[in-house]
Amino acid sequence: MKREKLSDEAVEAFLAAHAGWTKEAGAALALARTYSFEDYAAGIAFAVRVGFAAEARDHHPDLHIGWRRVRVVWSTHDAGGITALDTEMAERTDQLAR
Amino acid sequence: MKREKLSDEAVEAFLAAHAGWTKEAGAALALARTYSFEDYAAGIAFAVRVGFAAEARDHHPDLHIGWRRVRVVWSTHDAGGITALDTEMAERTDQLAR
């Protein structure tokens, strides 16, 4: 159930309730957020923590690490879009960024 | 000197001598290579090692971490393109991937 594609309404409700996240159209619709950090090392450390959480849940985001920023993109390949697993992991990502 | 933009010929010579690397046109010309890994954790570990090398040299790539793959993109912002620092770091990245 967690891996079924969410309705457009459910995605919009998530976006309205979670500042910073946007939907991103690519191969499939995805949830994306860019986080800023004080230094480069902090961005790397954050990416590693997200990586651990991803591995634990067996659901892996795209991570784009730049200069003091990390962009996290969640999507469910099998469903071809955004699922409840993605919104769950987006919230987890926000927790890790705090 | 390391941070002066390389000539087109120098960039082509690097590409000819280093399999896997391509030039990528973005905000500025960049050197890019995608590495594949046996599992997700190996990709994260590689990205961290590249991050350490980047910090040590005070020159930071864009790192795109996906499912068992990491794309590394080197460019020198101040020079608006590819410099000798980028080709040096591209070789270092190859060493870390071995």
Side-chain angles (χ1 to χ4, degrees), chain B residues 9-91:
Chain B
E9 291 72 18
V11 170
E12 293 305 327
F14 175 88
L15 293 174
H18 296 79
W21 290 91
T22 58
K23 58 185 174 183
E24 182 180 272
L29 200 65
L31 287 176
R33 180 169 184 180
T34 301
Y35 299 89
S36 295
F37 298 92
E38 283 197 3
D39 56 33
Y40 184 77
I44 294 279
F46 171 71
V48 171
R49 296 190 71 185
V50 174
F52 273 77
E55 191 75 345
R57 199 73 174 86
D58 195 20
H59 189 54
H60 305 84
D62 284 343
L63 294 165
H64 306 284
I65 303 172
W67 172 241
R68 302 197 302 189
R69 63 185 159 67
V70 177
R71 186 167 179 80
V72 184
V73 183
W74 290 103
S75 186
T76 301
H77 187 264
D78 294 347
I82 298 167
T83 66
L85 189 54
D86 296 309
T87 55
E88 171 194 318
M89 293 306 288
E91 289 180 340

